[in-house]
Amino acid sequence: MEQKLRHNCIKRQFESLKGTLRELALIPAGGGGLLTHALAHFASAMKVKEDGLHSEGIESVIVHAEQFLAEGKLIEAADALEKGAQGSKAESLAAEWARQARNRAVTEQALSLLRAYAIAIASTLT
């Protein structure tokens, strides 16, 4: 339960980024003109949600990242999102979220190690 609560912040951030990721994934990394941005915005707004598991593109990436998040696998979710956003305008946004998710995973691992150490020390004191 406690670990689930700790992942909620990262999950909420991911939920708030999904729409922007879908839009930016339609724009090449080199950018594009006003028309490219307008079409990407329109296409992402009009896009019907796909199954995701058997599709290609950002929707599949988002579904896989959500699955990893649901399993508590922050590093795998970060890797999936970063890899899937490569080559698009979504790359920097995905990289920032991935950095935060990895930092969270490292922090949680360190906290678990400290707890185990504290328990080991406490057990020798009794």
Side-chain angles (χ1 to χ4, degrees):
M1 175 81 170
E2 186 177 320
Q3 187 175 12
K4 186 176 180 179
L5 292 174
R6 288 184 275 163
H7 292 302
N8 281 343
C9 181
I10 294 292
K11 287 180 184 178
R12 279 194 307 272
Q13 277 185 317
F14 184 76
E15 287 297 318
S16 70
L17 293 178
K18 288 193 311 188
T20 306
L21 286 168
R22 285 182 179 110
E23 184 176 334
L24 292 177
L26 299 173
I27 302 172
L34 183 60
L35 182 60
T36 302
H37 285 266
L39 286 173
H41 180 73
F42 178 74
S44 67
M46 299 302 293
K47 186 172 178 148
V48 176
K49 188 170 192 268
E50 301 169 2
D51 175 0
L53 289 173
H54 306 297
S55 66
E56 293 183 16
I58 196 67
E59 196 62 40
S60 176
V61 170
I62 289 171
V63 168
H64 283 103
E66 286 176 326
Q67 287 175 336
F68 286 130
L69 282 174
E71 296 169 6
K73 298 178 178 178
L74 295 178
I75 293 176
E76 289 86 346
D79 290 344
L81 189 62
E82 239 180 351
K83 182 180 176 190
Q86 283 179 346
S88 73
K89 278 281 201 178
E91 188 171 359
S92 62
L93 184 62
E96 176 59 25
W97 181 86
R99 183 189 62 77
Q100 292 176 8
R102 286 186 186 105
N103 287 344
R104 182 61 177 246
V106 168
T107 302
E108 288 178 5
Q109 188 175 25
L111 182 60
S112 293
L113 181 63
L114 287 172
R115 280 188 182 144
Y117 180 72
I119 291 169
I121 294 296
S123 68
T124 62
L125 297 175
T126 56

